[in-house]
Amino acid sequence: IRNEGVFTGPTANHVTLPVADYAASVAFYRRLGLRLIVDHPAGGYARLEAANGVTVSLEVEAAMAERDDEAPGATLFLESGA
């Protein structure tokens, strides 16, 4: 996160979200202004970047379920400002 030292505690720098509809989800986040930086529809994975550098990954739920034993869920990654 590019916060110019305003906040020095833990901050979100990436989130992975499970999605059911790849194309609709990518279109939604692009309409919000995020820039598509990885587009892999065959693999059910996209990564988008917000203006402040925070990234969002979208992964089709079926692909997540194949990889993990647990039900798909959101994952938040934090970065220390220290």
Coordinates of all heavy atoms in Angstrom, one line a residue:
I1 N 0.8 -1.2 0.0 CA 0.0 0.0 0.0 C 0.9 1.2 0.0 O 1.8 1.3 0.8 CB -0.9 0.0 1.2 CG1 -2.0 -1.1 1.0 CG2 -1.6 1.3 1.4 CD1 -3.0 -1.2 2.0
R2 N 0.5 2.1 -0.8 CA 1.3 3.4 -0.9 C 0.6 4.5 -0.1 O -0.2 5.2 -0.6 CB 1.4 3.8 -2.4 CG 2.2 2.7 -3.2 CD 2.2 3.0 -4.6 NE 2.8 1.9 -5.3 CZ 2.1 1.0 -6.0 NH1 0.8 1.0 -6.0 NH2 2.7 0.0 -6.6
N3 N 0.8 4.5 1.2 CA 0.1 5.4 2.1 C 1.0 6.6 2.5 O 0.6 7.4 3.3 CB -0.5 4.7 3.3 CG 0.5 4.1 4.2 OD1 1.7 4.4 4.1 ND2 0.1 3.2 5.0
E4 N 2.2 6.7 1.9 CA 3.1 7.8 2.2 C 3.4 8.0 3.7 O 3.5 9.1 4.1 CB 2.5 9.1 1.6 CG 2.2 9.0 0.1 CD 3.4 8.6 -0.8 OE1 4.5 9.1 -0.5 OE2 3.2 7.9 -1.8
G5 N 3.4 6.9 4.5 CA 3.7 7.0 5.9 C 2.6 7.6 6.8 O 2.9 7.9 7.9
V6 N 1.4 7.8 6.2 CA 0.3 8.3 7.1 C 0.0 7.4 8.2 O -0.3 7.7 9.3 CB -0.9 8.6 6.2 CG1 -2.1 9.1 7.0 CG2 -0.5 9.7 5.1
F7 N -0.1 6.1 7.8 CA -0.5 5.1 8.8 C 0.6 4.0 8.9 O 1.1 3.5 7.8 CB -1.8 4.4 8.4 CG -2.3 3.4 9.3 CD1 -2.8 3.7 10.6 CD2 -2.3 2.0 8.9 CE1 -3.2 2.7 11.4 CE2 -2.7 1.1 9.8 CZ -3.2 1.4 11.0
T8 N 1.1 3.7 10.1 CA 2.2 2.8 10.2 C 1.8 1.4 10.7 O 2.7 0.5 10.9 CB 3.3 3.4 11.1 OG1 2.8 3.6 12.4 CG2 3.9 4.6 10.4
G9 N 0.6 1.2 11.0 CA 0.1 -0.2 11.5 C -0.1 -1.1 10.3 O 0.1 -0.8 9.2
P10 N -0.6 -2.3 10.6 CA -0.9 -3.3 9.6 C -2.0 -2.7 8.6 O -3.0 -2.1 9.1 CB -1.4 -4.5 10.3 CG -1.1 -4.3 11.7 CD -0.9 -2.8 11.9
T11 N -1.8 -2.9 7.3 CA -2.8 -2.5 6.4 C -3.0 -3.6 5.3 O -2.1 -4.4 5.1 CB -2.3 -1.2 5.6 OG1 -1.0 -1.5 5.0 CG2 -2.2 0.0 6.5
A12 N -4.2 -3.6 4.7 CA -4.5 -4.6 3.7 C -3.7 -4.2 2.5 O -3.6 -3.1 2.1 CB -6.0 -4.5 3.4
N13 N -3.0 -5.3 1.9 CA -2.4 -5.0 0.6 C -2.8 -6.0 -0.5 O -2.5 -5.8 -1.6 CB -0.8 -5.1 0.8 CG -0.3 -6.5 0.9 OD1 -1.0 -7.4 1.2 ND2 1.0 -6.6 0.6
H14 N -3.6 -7.0 -0.1 CA -4.1 -7.9 -1.1 C -5.3 -8.7 -0.5 O -5.3 -9.1 0.7 CB -3.1 -8.9 -1.5 CG -3.5 -9.9 -2.6 ND1 -3.7 -9.6 -3.9 CD2 -3.9 -11.2 -2.5 CE1 -4.1 -10.6 -4.5 NE2 -4.3 -11.6 -3.7
V15 N -6.3 -9.0 -1.3 CA -7.4 -9.8 -0.9 C -7.7 -10.8 -2.1 O -7.7 -10.4 -3.2 CB -8.7 -9.0 -0.5 CG1 -9.2 -8.2 -1.6 CG2 -9.7 -9.9 0.1
T16 N -8.0 -12.0 -1.7 CA -8.4 -13.0 -2.7 C -9.9 -13.3 -2.4 O -10.3 -13.6 -1.3 CB -7.6 -14.3 -2.6 OG1 -6.2 -14.0 -2.9 CG2 -8.1 -15.3 -3.7
L17 N -10.7 -13.3 -3.5 CA -12.1 -13.5 -3.3 C -12.6 -14.6 -4.2 O -12.2 -14.7 -5.4 CB -12.9 -12.2 -3.8 CG -12.6 -11.0 -3.0 CD1 -13.3 -9.8 -3.6 CD2 -13.0 -11.1 -1.5
P18 N -13.4 -15.5 -3.7 CA -14.0 -16.6 -4.5 C -15.2 -16.0 -5.3 O -15.9 -15.1 -4.8 CB -14.6 -17.6 -3.5 CG -14.8 -16.8 -2.3 CD -13.8 -15.7 -2.3
V19 N -15.3 -16.4 -6.6 CA -16.4 -15.9 -7.5 C -17.0 -17.0 -8.2 O -16.4 -18.1 -8.4 CB -15.9 -14.8 -8.5 CG1 -15.2 -13.6 -7.7 CG2 -14.8 -15.4 -9.4
A20 N -18.3 -16.9 -8.5 CA -19.0 -17.9 -9.3 C -18.9 -17.6 -10.8 O -18.8 -18.5 -11.6 CB -20.5 -17.9 -8.8
D21 N -19.0 -16.3 -11.1 CA -19.0 -16.0 -12.6 C -17.8 -15.1 -12.8 O -17.7 -13.9 -12.5 CB -20.3 -15.2 -12.9 CG -20.5 -14.9 -14.3 OD1 -19.5 -14.6 -15.0 OD2 -21.6 -14.9 -14.8
Y22 N -16.8 -15.7 -13.5 CA -15.5 -15.0 -13.8 C -15.7 -13.7 -14.5 O -15.3 -12.7 -14.1 CB -14.6 -16.0 -14.5 CG -13.3 -15.4 -14.9 CD1 -12.2 -15.4 -14.0 CD2 -13.0 -14.8 -16.1 CE1 -11.0 -14.9 -14.3 CE2 -11.8 -14.2 -16.4 CZ -10.8 -14.2 -15.5 OH -9.6 -13.7 -15.8
A23 N -16.4 -13.8 -15.7 CA -16.5 -12.6 -16.6 C -17.3 -11.5 -15.9 O -16.8 -10.3 -16.0 CB -17.2 -13.0 -17.9
A24 N -18.3 -11.8 -15.2 CA -19.1 -10.8 -14.6 C -18.4 -10.2 -13.4 O -18.4 -8.9 -13.2 CB -20.5 -11.4 -14.0
S25 N -17.6 -10.9 -12.7 CA -16.8 -10.4 -11.6 C -15.7 -9.5 -12.0 O -15.5 -8.4 -11.5 CB -16.3 -11.6 -10.7 OG -17.3 -12.4 -10.2
V26 N -15.0 -9.9 -13.1 CA -13.9 -9.1 -13.6 C -14.5 -7.8 -14.1 O -14.0 -6.7 -13.8 CB -13.1 -9.8 -14.7 CG1 -12.2 -8.8 -15.5 CG2 -12.3 -11.0 -14.1
A27 N -15.6 -7.8 -14.8 CA -16.3 -6.6 -15.4 C -16.7 -5.7 -14.2 O -16.5 -4.5 -14.3 CB -17.5 -7.0 -16.2
F28 N -17.2 -6.3 -13.1 CA -17.7 -5.5 -12.0 C -16.5 -4.7 -11.4 O -16.6 -3.5 -11.2 CB -18.3 -6.4 -10.9 CG -18.6 -5.7 -9.7 CD1 -19.7 -4.8 -9.6 CD2 -17.8 -5.8 -8.6 CE1 -20.0 -4.2 -8.4 CE2 -18.1 -5.1 -7.4 CZ -19.2 -4.3 -7.3
Y29 N -15.4 -5.3 -11.1 CA -14.3 -4.7 -10.5 C -13.6 -3.7 -11.4 O -13.1 -2.6 -11.0 CB -13.3 -5.7 -9.9 CG -13.8 -6.3 -8.6 CD1 -14.5 -7.5 -8.6 CD2 -13.8 -5.6 -7.4 CE1 -15.0 -8.0 -7.5 CE2 -14.3 -6.1 -6.3 CZ -14.9 -7.3 -6.3 OH -15.5 -7.8 -5.2
R30 N -13.6 -3.9 -12.7 CA -13.1 -3.0 -13.7 C -14.0 -1.7 -13.7 O -13.4 -0.6 -13.8 CB -13.0 -3.6 -15.1 CG -11.8 -4.7 -15.1 CD -11.6 -5.2 -16.4 NE -10.8 -4.2 -17.1 CZ -10.5 -4.2 -18.4 NH1 -10.9 -5.2 -19.2 NH2 -9.8 -3.3 -19.0
R31 N -15.3 -1.9 -13.6 CA -16.2 -0.7 -13.5 C -15.9 0.1 -12.3 O -16.2 1.3 -12.3 CB -17.6 -1.2 -13.6 CG -18.1 -1.5 -15.0 CD -19.6 -1.6 -15.1 NE -20.2 -2.6 -14.2 CZ -20.3 -3.9 -14.4 NH1 -19.9 -4.4 -15.5 NH2 -20.8 -4.7 -13.5
L32 N -15.4 -0.5 -11.2 CA -15.1 0.2 -10.0 C -13.8 1.0 -10.2 O -13.4 1.7 -9.3 CB -15.0 -0.7 -8.8 CG -16.3 -1.4 -8.3 CD1 -16.0 -2.3 -7.2 CD2 -17.3 -0.3 -7.9
G33 N -13.1 0.8 -11.3 CA -11.9 1.5 -11.5 C -10.6 0.7 -11.3 O -9.5 1.3 -11.4
L34 N -10.7 -0.6 -11.0 CA -9.5 -1.4 -10.8 C -8.9 -1.7 -12.1 O -9.7 -1.9 -13.1 CB -9.8 -2.6 -10.0 CG -9.8 -2.4 -8.4 CD1 -11.1 -1.7 -8.0 CD2 -9.7 -3.7 -7.7
R35 N -7.6 -1.8 -12.2 CA -6.9 -2.1 -13.5 C -6.6 -3.6 -13.5 O -6.0 -4.2 -12.6 CB -5.6 -1.3 -13.5 CG -4.8 -1.5 -14.8 CD -3.6 -0.5 -14.8 NE -2.7 -0.8 -13.7 CZ -1.6 -1.5 -13.8 NH1 -1.3 -2.1 -14.9 NH2 -0.8 -1.7 -12.8
L36 N -7.0 -4.3 -14.6 CA -6.7 -5.7 -14.7 C -5.2 -5.9 -15.0 O -4.7 -5.4 -16.0 CB -7.6 -6.3 -15.9 CG -7.5 -7.8 -16.1 CD1 -8.1 -8.5 -14.9 CD2 -8.4 -8.1 -17.3
I37 N -4.5 -6.7 -14.2 CA -3.1 -6.9 -14.4 C -2.8 -8.4 -14.7 O -1.7 -8.7 -15.2 CB -2.3 -6.4 -13.2 CG1 -2.7 -7.0 -11.9 CG2 -2.3 -4.9 -13.1 CD1 -1.8 -6.6 -10.7
V38 N -3.7 -9.3 -14.3 CA -3.6 -10.7 -14.7 C -4.9 -11.2 -15.1 O -5.9 -11.0 -14.4 CB -3.1 -11.6 -13.5 CG1 -3.0 -13.1 -13.9 CG2 -1.7 -11.2 -13.1
D39 N -5.0 -11.8 -16.3 CA -6.3 -12.3 -16.8 C -6.1 -13.7 -17.4 O -5.5 -13.9 -18.4 CB -6.8 -11.3 -18.0 CG -8.2 -11.7 -18.5 OD1 -8.9 -12.4 -17.8 OD2 -8.5 -11.3 -19.6
H40 N -6.6 -14.6 -16.6 CA -6.5 -16.1 -17.0 C -7.8 -16.8 -16.8 O -8.1 -17.5 -15.9 CB -5.4 -16.7 -16.1 CG -5.1 -18.1 -16.4 ND1 -4.8 -18.5 -17.7 CD2 -5.0 -19.2 -15.7 CE1 -4.5 -19.8 -17.7 NE2 -4.6 -20.3 -16.5
P41 N -8.7 -16.5 -17.8 CA -10.1 -17.0 -17.7 C -10.1 -18.6 -17.7 O -10.9 -19.2 -17.1 CB -10.8 -16.4 -18.9 CG -9.8 -15.8 -19.7 CD -8.6 -15.6 -18.9
A42 N -9.2 -19.2 -18.5 CA -9.2 -20.6 -18.6 C -8.8 -21.3 -17.2 O -9.3 -22.3 -16.9 CB -8.1 -21.1 -19.6
G43 N -8.0 -20.6 -16.4 CA -7.7 -21.1 -15.1 C -8.6 -20.5 -14.0 O -8.4 -20.8 -12.8
G44 N -9.5 -19.6 -14.4 CA -10.4 -19.0 -13.4 C -9.8 -18.1 -12.5 O -10.2 -18.0 -11.3
Y45 N -8.8 -17.3 -12.9 CA -8.0 -16.4 -12.0 C -7.8 -15.1 -12.7 O -7.4 -15.0 -13.8 CB -6.7 -17.1 -11.7 CG -5.9 -16.2 -10.8 CD1 -6.1 -16.2 -9.4 CD2 -4.9 -15.4 -11.3 CE1 -5.3 -15.4 -8.6 CE2 -4.1 -14.5 -10.5 CZ -4.3 -14.6 -9.1 OH -3.6 -13.8 -8.3
A46 N -8.1 -14.0 -11.9 CA -7.7 -12.7 -12.4 C -7.2 -11.9 -11.2 O -7.5 -12.2 -10.0 CB -9.0 -11.9 -12.9
R47 N -6.3 -10.9 -11.5 CA -5.8 -10.0 -10.4 C -5.9 -8.6 -10.9 O -5.6 -8.3 -12.1 CB -4.3 -10.4 -10.2 CG -3.8 -9.6 -8.9 CD -2.5 -10.2 -8.5 NE -2.0 -9.5 -7.3 CZ -1.1 -10.1 -6.5 NH1 -0.7 -11.3 -6.7 NH2 -0.7 -9.4 -5.4
L48 N -6.5 -7.8 -10.1 CA -6.7 -6.4 -10.4 C -6.0 -5.5 -9.4 O -5.8 -5.9 -8.2 CB -8.2 -6.1 -10.4 CG -9.0 -6.9 -11.4 CD1 -9.7 -8.1 -10.7 CD2 -10.0 -6.1 -12.2
E49 N -5.7 -4.3 -9.8 CA -5.0 -3.3 -8.9 C -5.7 -2.0 -8.8 O -6.2 -1.5 -9.8 CB -3.6 -3.1 -9.4 CG -2.8 -2.2 -8.5 CD -1.4 -2.0 -9.1 OE1 -1.2 -1.9 -10.3 OE2 -0.4 -1.8 -8.3
A50 N -5.9 -1.6 -7.5 CA -6.5 -0.3 -7.3 C -5.5 0.8 -7.4 O -4.3 0.5 -7.4 CB -7.1 -0.3 -5.9
A51 N -5.9 2.0 -7.5 CA -5.0 3.2 -7.7 C -4.0 3.3 -6.6 O -2.9 3.8 -6.8 CB -5.8 4.5 -7.8
N52 N -4.3 2.8 -5.4 CA -3.4 2.9 -4.2 C -2.4 1.7 -4.1 O -1.7 1.6 -3.2 CB -4.1 3.1 -2.9 CG -5.0 1.9 -2.5 OD1 -5.1 1.0 -3.3 ND2 -5.5 1.9 -1.3
G53 N -2.5 0.8 -5.1 CA -1.6 -0.3 -5.1 C -2.1 -1.6 -4.5 O -1.5 -2.7 -4.6
V54 N -3.3 -1.5 -3.8 CA -3.9 -2.7 -3.3 C -4.4 -3.6 -4.4 O -4.9 -3.1 -5.4 CB -5.1 -2.4 -2.3 CG1 -5.8 -3.6 -1.9 CG2 -4.6 -1.6 -1.1
T55 N -4.1 -4.9 -4.3 CA -4.5 -5.8 -5.3 C -5.7 -6.7 -4.8 O -5.7 -7.1 -3.7 CB -3.4 -6.7 -5.9 OG1 -2.8 -7.4 -4.8 CG2 -2.3 -5.8 -6.6
V56 N -6.5 -7.1 -5.8 CA -7.6 -8.1 -5.5 C -7.5 -9.2 -6.5 O -7.4 -9.0 -7.7 CB -9.0 -7.4 -5.8 CG1 -10.1 -8.3 -5.6 CG2 -9.1 -6.2 -4.8
S57 N -7.5 -10.4 -6.0 CA -7.5 -11.6 -6.9 C -8.9 -12.2 -6.9 O -9.5 -12.2 -5.8 CB -6.5 -12.7 -6.4 OG -5.2 -12.3 -6.6
L58 N -9.4 -12.6 -8.0 CA -10.6 -13.2 -8.2 C -10.4 -14.6 -8.6 O -9.6 -14.9 -9.6 CB -11.5 -12.5 -9.2 CG -11.7 -11.0 -9.0 CD1 -12.5 -10.4 -10.2 CD2 -12.4 -10.7 -7.7
E59 N -10.9 -15.6 -7.9 CA -10.7 -17.0 -8.3 C -12.0 -17.7 -8.3 O -12.8 -17.7 -7.3 CB -9.7 -17.7 -7.3 CG -9.2 -19.0 -7.8 CD -8.0 -19.5 -7.0 OE1 -7.5 -18.8 -6.1 OE2 -7.6 -20.6 -7.4
V60 N -12.3 -18.4 -9.4 CA -13.5 -19.2 -9.5 C -13.6 -20.2 -8.4 O -12.6 -20.9 -8.1 CB -13.6 -19.8 -10.9 CG1 -14.9 -20.7 -11.0 CG2 -13.7 -18.8 -12.0
E61 N -14.8 -20.3 -7.7 CA -14.9 -21.1 -6.6 C -14.6 -22.6 -6.8 O -14.0 -23.3 -6.0 CB -16.4 -21.1 -6.1 CG -16.7 -19.7 -5.5 CD -18.2 -19.5 -5.2 OE1 -19.0 -20.3 -5.8 OE2 -18.5 -18.7 -4.4
A62 N -14.9 -23.1 -8.0 CA -14.7 -24.5 -8.4 C -13.2 -24.8 -8.4 O -12.7 -25.8 -7.9 CB -15.3 -24.9 -9.7
A63 N -12.4 -23.8 -8.9 CA -10.9 -24.0 -8.9 C -10.4 -23.9 -7.5 O -9.4 -24.7 -7.2 CB -10.3 -22.8 -9.8
M64 N -10.9 -23.1 -6.7 CA -10.4 -23.1 -5.3 C -10.8 -24.4 -4.6 O -9.9 -24.9 -3.8 CB -11.1 -21.9 -4.5 CG -10.7 -20.5 -5.0 SD -11.5 -19.2 -4.1 CE -10.4 -18.9 -2.8
A65 N -11.9 -24.9 -4.8 CA -12.4 -26.1 -4.1 C -11.5 -27.3 -4.6 O -11.2 -28.2 -3.8 CB -13.8 -26.4 -4.4
E66 N -11.1 -27.4 -5.8 CA -10.2 -28.4 -6.3 C -8.8 -28.4 -5.6 O -8.2 -29.4 -5.4 CB -10.0 -28.3 -7.8 CG -11.2 -28.7 -8.6 CD -10.9 -28.5 -10.1 OE1 -9.8 -28.3 -10.5 OE2 -11.9 -28.5 -10.9
R67 N -8.4 -27.2 -5.3 CA -7.0 -27.0 -4.7 C -7.0 -27.2 -3.2 O -6.1 -27.7 -2.6 CB -6.5 -25.7 -5.1 CG -5.1 -25.4 -4.6 CD -4.6 -24.0 -4.9 NE -5.3 -23.1 -4.0 CZ -6.1 -22.1 -4.3 NH1 -6.3 -21.9 -5.6 NH2 -6.6 -21.3 -3.5
D68 N -8.1 -26.8 -2.5 CA -8.2 -26.9 -1.1 C -9.2 -27.9 -0.6 O -10.2 -28.1 -1.2 CB -8.5 -25.5 -0.5 CG -7.5 -24.4 -0.9 OD1 -6.3 -24.8 -0.9 OD2 -7.9 -23.3 -1.1
D69 N -9.0 -28.4 0.6 CA -9.9 -29.3 1.3 C -11.1 -28.5 1.9 O -12.1 -29.1 2.1 CB -9.2 -30.1 2.4 CG -8.2 -31.1 1.8 OD1 -8.4 -31.5 0.6 OD2 -7.3 -31.5 2.5
E70 N -10.9 -27.3 2.2 CA -11.9 -26.5 2.8 C -12.8 -25.7 1.8 O -12.4 -25.6 0.6 CB -11.2 -25.4 3.7 CG -10.4 -26.1 4.8 CD -9.7 -25.0 5.6 OE1 -10.0 -23.8 5.6 OE2 -8.7 -25.4 6.4
A71 N -13.9 -25.3 2.3 CA -14.8 -24.5 1.4 C -14.1 -23.2 1.0 O -13.4 -22.6 1.8 CB -16.1 -24.2 2.1
P72 N -14.3 -22.7 -0.2 CA -13.6 -21.5 -0.6 C -14.1 -20.3 0.2 O -15.2 -20.2 0.6 CB -14.1 -21.3 -2.1 CG -14.8 -22.6 -2.5 CD -15.1 -23.3 -1.2
G73 N -13.2 -19.4 0.5 CA -13.5 -18.2 1.2 C -12.5 -17.1 0.9 O -11.6 -17.3 0.2
A74 N -12.8 -15.9 1.4 CA -12.0 -14.8 1.1 C -10.7 -14.9 2.0 O -10.8 -15.4 3.1 CB -12.7 -13.5 1.4
T75 N -9.6 -14.4 1.4 CA -8.4 -14.4 2.2 C -7.8 -12.9 2.1 O -7.7 -12.4 1.0 CB -7.3 -15.3 1.6 OG1 -7.9 -16.6 1.5 CG2 -6.1 -15.3 2.4
L76 N -7.5 -12.4 3.3 CA -7.0 -11.0 3.4 C -5.5 -11.1 3.8 O -5.1 -11.8 4.7 CB -7.7 -10.2 4.4 CG -7.2 -8.8 4.7 CD1 -7.4 -7.9 3.5 CD2 -8.0 -8.2 5.9
F77 N -4.6 -10.4 3.0 CA -3.2 -10.3 3.3 C -2.9 -9.0 3.8 O -3.3 -8.0 3.2 CB -2.4 -10.6 2.0 CG -2.6 -12.0 1.5 CD1 -3.7 -12.3 0.6 CD2 -1.8 -13.1 1.9 CE1 -3.9 -13.5 0.1 CE2 -2.0 -14.3 1.4 CZ -3.0 -14.6 0.5
L78 N -2.2 -8.9 4.9 CA -1.8 -7.6 5.6 C -0.3 -7.4 5.4 O 0.5 -8.3 5.2 CB -2.1 -7.7 7.1 CG -3.6 -7.9 7.4 CD1 -3.7 -8.1 9.0 CD2 -4.4 -6.8 6.9
E79 N 0.0 -6.1 5.4 CA 1.4 -5.6 5.3 C 1.7 -4.8 6.5 O 0.9 -3.9 6.9 CB 1.5 -4.8 4.0 CG 2.9 -4.3 3.8 CD 2.9 -3.6 2.4 OE1 2.4 -2.4 2.4 OE2 3.4 -4.2 1.4
S80 N 2.8 -5.0 7.1 CA 3.2 -4.1 8.3 C 3.8 -2.8 7.8 O 4.6 -2.8 6.9 CB 4.3 -4.9 9.1 OG 4.8 -4.0 10.1
G81 N 3.4 -1.7 8.4 CA 3.9 -0.4 8.1 C 5.2 -0.1 8.8 O 5.8 0.9 8.6
A82 N 5.7 -1.0 9.6 CA 6.9 -0.8 10.4 C 8.1 -0.9 9.6 O 8.2 -1.6 8.6 CB 6.9 -1.7 11.6

